[in-house]
Amino acid sequence: MRFLELANTYDQIESKTGRLEITGILSELFKKASPEEIDKIIYLTQGSIAPPHKNIEVGMGEKFVEEAIRVASGLRTIKIVEDEYKKTGDIGKAAENIMSKKTQESLSSNILTVGMVFDSFMKIAHTSGVGSQDTKIRILIKLLNSAEPLEARYLVRFPLGRLRLGVGDPTILDALSFYRKGDKSIREELERAYNLSNDLGLVAKTLFENPDKIIDFKMSVFSPVRPALAERLSSAEEIIEKIGKCAVEAKYDGFRCQVHKRGNKIEIFSRKLEPMAGMFPEIVEAASKYIAAEEAIFEGEAIAFNELTGEYRPFQLTIQRKRKYGIEEMSQVFPLKLFAFDLLFRDGTDYTKQPYKARREALSKSIIENKTIAVSDSITTDDPAELQTYFEDCIGRGLEGVIAKDLEAPYVAGARKFAWIKLKRSYKAELADTLDLVILGYYYGKGKRTKFAFGGLLCGVYDDEAGVYRTIAKIGSGFSEEQMVELELTLKQISEKEKPRQVDSLLEADVWVEPKYVITVAADEITRSPMHTCGRGKTGYALRFPRMIHGIRADKGPEDSTTVNEVVELYGKQRKVTVE
Ligand code: ATP
């Protein structure tokens, strides 16, 4: 496929707002792709060249991209490129405008194909060391020499990570489901394959090569599985009423680890499915020694733990283990303990389809007792009073609460289901639980805060049905001075000239940003409000007295934020509490 076709499609998508329209455009594009190129098209459409967990970025500095544009357009000085960039505020538009004025046709002019562009980006990503910047610039110049102005617009956005089409994973899945089996849609099967691999390129390639393999898609070691998530209820009684006799596990407040093992090779994926084995040497060592399987995928929560006193360290301390430097020293000072809570795969057997109790039994049998990995603490009960006592016992031991698990439920990858129900301490307070909100924009400071350019945040939640972010709160408190400075610096880098397409807001922010970062927010109450777009009817929902209680969450992406449906549910529960 010509790259121009992709560029034309992206151009069309940029002018549309409705998810249905975008799905239609994408599915027309996909229909024209061959099995050899469909995965590349998908990764490119995601603004990348590989699934997110592989951490492969095209990556070039802005100055180098400007230099490539200068050379390719035959300009003598960089100033014209810089000025055009300033004027348009978008490196892509700048490249397009400059290239369209280019008079002299380059001699090496080729027709660009998707394959050529993809391979060149791959080369840029893998070039490192001395002189690598020159090599990267040369590769980009070569592409630009063969590019039409519209192609140039997109070519320069990739190395800067700024494609930003705003096409979410659910939209890509919808677009792929033009493919039907007889008269049956295979959207569900596609989603399952995606949840088991976190790799839309692989899912699409499998579909194009042999659709039967999608129906029978298998997970594989070192491809992360999208995590199962918990619903919430507000009392032990409600939990027992909902799922009856259940397992109740301690809820550890650390970070989720999905451990993949083949022989001595270990990878650990975070909740966001980023590879992090390098940060946790003690878990890697224990997993290679004490897991009785050649191949396995299992999950647990890692928490800094004092073996001598049996004390769980607070989250603020555990989080310090997420670091780039001083890893060995910190692993000695604050060693982690992994409390394993689920088994997904072992030596060729997919456990996700088996009921919780079978998975738990197999998990226990797979772990040889040691000081770094243990099976999570749990009881089994159908008695609300016993559940409540266990919950209080967990809180007393410094844990976050409990997670009740349906004994008969399979592991549902990538979904928040009542198979797991969390009960936390704050539930009986006014507002059950904190919310994880996406930062959509920010405000400049007023009054005594004017010495900071930063004054507050406009935040939203994710509408997973429409694939957009809807506003729920303006947040002006909970930040320390350092946090304000840091937030402003971080957000500036992802600022947008206009409200991003995937943001639905009635309010204006002083500065809009790409929906990327998630913060944790507490509030007194959820109220109805016509100012905000979070909601399903005419009146939205808003937070009363919102305050940030945790800065940017490294472990959550924008689509992992609280959803509109969850807000509606929380609102319902809150009302019930007041009536009672
Ligand atoms: P939270 O911010 O409350 O941890 P979350 O959105 O990360 O929520 P939830 O689905 O609400 O995820 O709660 C499940 C999380 O709890 C898991 O992602 C995991 O990190 C953590 N956890 C701690 N102990 C357990 C356990 N025994 N079983 C399952 N998950 C556990």
Side-chain angles (χ1 to χ4, degrees):
M1 181 186 288
R2 282 191 69 173
F3 185 67
L4 187 59
E5 183 135 15
L6 211 57
N8 273 321
T9 307
Y10 293 167
D11 182 45
Q12 279 181 51
I13 291 178
E14 279 187 319
S15 65
K16 300 280 189 283
T17 47
R19 176 159 164 199
L20 269 183
E21 267 177 312
I22 295 174
T23 308
I25 296 169
L26 275 180
S27 100
E28 286 312 309
L29 174 79
F30 294 166
K31 277 181 198 162
K32 292 181 214 152
S34 70
E36 290 71 44
E37 59 195 6
I38 184 67
D39 51 345
K40 298 174 181 163
I41 292 173
I42 303 260
Y43 297 136
L44 289 171
T45 304
Q46 292 179 308
S48 181
I49 47 170
H53 56 265
K54 293 219 170 131
N55 250 354
I56 301 177
E57 280 178 15
V58 186
M60 277 173 74
E62 210 165 79
K63 287 286 159 246
F64 300 113
V65 173
E66 287 177 358
E67 174 63 7
I69 300 173
R70 181 192 75 76
V71 177
S73 54
L75 292 170
R76 276 169 198 268
T77 66
I78 196 76
K79 182 138 188 336
I80 299 181
V81 182
E82 286 171 354
D83 288 351
E84 191 64 30
Y85 182 17
K86 253 186 223 139
K87 201 173 86 195
T88 52
D90 167 8
I91 192 84
K93 285 270 164 59
E96 181 178 10
N97 294 348
I98 291 171
M99 296 297 279
S100 63
K101 288 189 203 126
K102 181 176 154 183
T103 45
Q104 199 189 355
E105 266 299 313
S106 164
L107 288 176
S108 69
S109 176
N110 273 313
I111 286 179
L112 289 179
T113 64
V114 168
M116 277 158 64
V117 170
F118 186 88
D119 293 346
S120 301
F121 283 162
M122 207 40 119
K123 260 191 227 148
I124 294 182
H126 284 113
T127 305
S128 61
V130 185
S132 62
Q133 287 302 347
D134 286 346
T135 315
K136 291 181 185 196
I137 296 176
R138 236 177 295 126
I139 300 172
L140 187 57
I141 293 172
K142 204 165 161 217
L143 289 176
L144 288 171
N145 275 339
S146 310
E148 309 252 344
L150 187 69
E151 291 176 307
R153 185 203 293 176
Y154 296 103
L155 285 175
V156 300
R157 283 187 187 166
F158 285 97
L160 295 173
R162 291 200 198 135
L163 183 67
R164 296 187 195 164
L165 283 182
V167 174
D169 296 350
T171 308
I172 295 183
L173 284 168
D174 284 350
L176 281 172
S177 65
F178 69 83
Y179 194 97
R180 302 174 76 80
K181 192 100 180 119
D183 58 357
K184 195 176 160 279
S185 163
I186 57 164
R187 175 69 172 74
E188 249 176 58
E189 288 80 355
L190 286 169
E191 182 149 349
R192 180 177 165 273
Y194 168 56
N195 285 330
L196 291 181
S197 64
N198 193 42
D199 186 342
L200 280 176
L202 175 70
V203 171
K205 196 175 171 64
T206 310
L207 174 73
F208 276 48
E209 281 173 359
N210 180 0
D212 286 339
K213 283 211 168 143
I214 281 293
I215 317 267
D216 191 27
F217 193 89
K218 303 242 181 330
M219 73 178 91
S220 55
V221 177
F222 304 128
S223 271
V225 177
R226 289 166 53 79
L229 298 169
E231 279 284 356
R232 339 167 148 78
L233 283 175
S234 23
S235 70
E237 290 78 14
E238 280 178 332
I239 292 177
I240 297 295
E241 200 177 298
K242 182 90 191 170
I243 55 173
K245 186 172 176 184
C246 56
V248 187
E249 294 188 22
K251 188 174 196 299
Y252 304 89
D253 196 9
F255 14 84
R256 188 170 185 151
C257 291
Q258 190 178 99
V259 185
H260 288 233
K261 168 189 157 84
R262 176 176 294 140
N264 283 332
K265 191 166 177 255
I266 307 290
E267 185 54 271
I268 301 174
F269 294 102
S270 68
R271 184 183 186 291
K272 250 169 76 181
L273 307 182
E274 288 163 336
M276 0 177 249
M279 291 184 195
F280 310 139
E282 68 272 47
I283 298 182
V284 168
E285 196 193 332
S288 64
K289 278 194 194 150
Y290 303 115
I291 302 302
E294 176 57 23
E295 285 196 340
I297 304 177
F298 67 99
E299 282 189 324
E301 188 86 352
I303 181 166
F305 183 69
N306 186 337
E307 194 70 39
L308 280 177
T309 59
E311 176 198 13
Y312 304 98
R313 312 257 195 206
F315 186 70
Q316 289 76 354
L317 206 149
T318 301
I319 197 83
Q320 291 187 33
R321 289 297 311 274
K322 282 208 168 165
R323 53 171 55 229
K324 286 197 181 126
Y325 308 102
I327 291 172
E328 276 298 333
E329 294 89 300
M330 278 301 265
S331 75
Q332 304 290 332
V333 186
F334 294 121
L336 295 174
K337 183 154 186 163
L338 182 71
F339 291 92
F341 56 71
D342 222 315
L343 178 71
L344 282 62
F345 180 84
R346 191 181 69 186
D347 292 333
T349 306
D350 175 349
Y351 276 89
T352 60
K353 296 175 188 157
Q354 300 200 13
Y356 168 85
K357 52 185 186 205
R359 299 200 307 277
R360 178 88 186 174
E361 200 187 316
L363 176 72
S364 305
K365 283 195 185 141
S366 308
I367 296 175
I368 304 161
E369 206 172 307
N370 68 97
K371 74 173 195 324
T372 307
I373 306 180
V375 179
S376 61
D377 195 33
S378 89
I379 61 163
T380 302
T381 183
D382 59 0
D383 174 9
E386 195 182 348
L387 200 164
Q388 180 66 24
T389 311
Y390 182 67
F391 168 74
E392 279 160 18
D393 175 52
C394 285
I395 296 290
R397 286 191 286 146
L399 295 161
E400 221 192 344
V402 296
I403 301 201
K405 298 188 175 174
D406 183 337
L407 295 169
E408 304 304 329
Y411 182 97
V412 191
R416 202 178 280 283
K417 291 265 154 94
F418 280 100
W420 290 7
I421 307 172
K422 58 180 169 176
L423 183 64
K424 289 207 238 172
R425 183 171 33 184
S426 50
Y427 277 34
K428 293 198 169 160
E430 299 85 350
L431 174 58
D433 210 3
T434 54
L435 286 89
D436 293 324
L437 304 185
V438 193
I439 302 176
L440 304 175
Y442 63 94
Y443 295 93
Y444 293 125
K446 292 190 191 80
K448 73 176 187 324
R449 278 187 171 171
T450 39
K451 70 174 164 152
F452 304 107
F454 176 85
L457 298 169
L458 177 62
C459 289
V461 290
Y462 184 49
D463 183 336
D464 53 348
E465 285 166 24
V468 299
Y469 299 93
R470 303 192 193 276
T471 71
I472 188 166
K474 270 174 149 183
I475 298 170
S477 61
F479 327 106
S480 66
E481 292 192 358
E482 287 93 9
Q483 277 176 322
M484 288 166 80
V485 173
E486 209 179 301
L487 275 170
E488 200 211 343
L489 277 177
T490 312
L491 294 176
K492 222 187 212 161
Q493 291 175 25
I494 54 159
S495 66
E496 301 264 356
K497 272 215 153 159
E498 286 163 22
K499 177 163 73 72
R501 254 182 353 92
Q502 66 274 39
V503 172
D504 177 24
S505 174
L506 299 171
L507 298 169
E508 275 296 323
D510 288 341
V511 182
W512 291 107
V513 300
E514 175 198 352
K516 178 170 183 182
Y517 295 118
V518 173
I519 57 169
T520 301
V521 171
D524 284 2
E525 204 186 348
I526 298 174
T527 55
R528 300 306 303 256
S529 156
M531 306 244 294
H532 287 287
T533 51
C534 162
R536 296 258 171 253
K538 276 199 187 121
T539 318
Y541 293 86
L543 298 183
R544 206 164 105 91
F545 299 131
R547 58 234 173 231
M548 183 174 91
I549 55 160
H550 191 295
I552 292 173
R553 297 274 309 245
D555 58 337
K556 291 199 176 175
E559 290 176 8
D560 300 319
S561 60
T562 303
T563 61
V564 171
N565 284 337
E566 286 178 77
V567 172
V568 177
E569 266 172 41
L570 283 170
Y571 179 74
K573 274 186 203 129
Q574 170 189 284
R575 253 189 330 193
K576 211 163 90 199
V577 173
T578 1
V579 173
E580 274 167 5

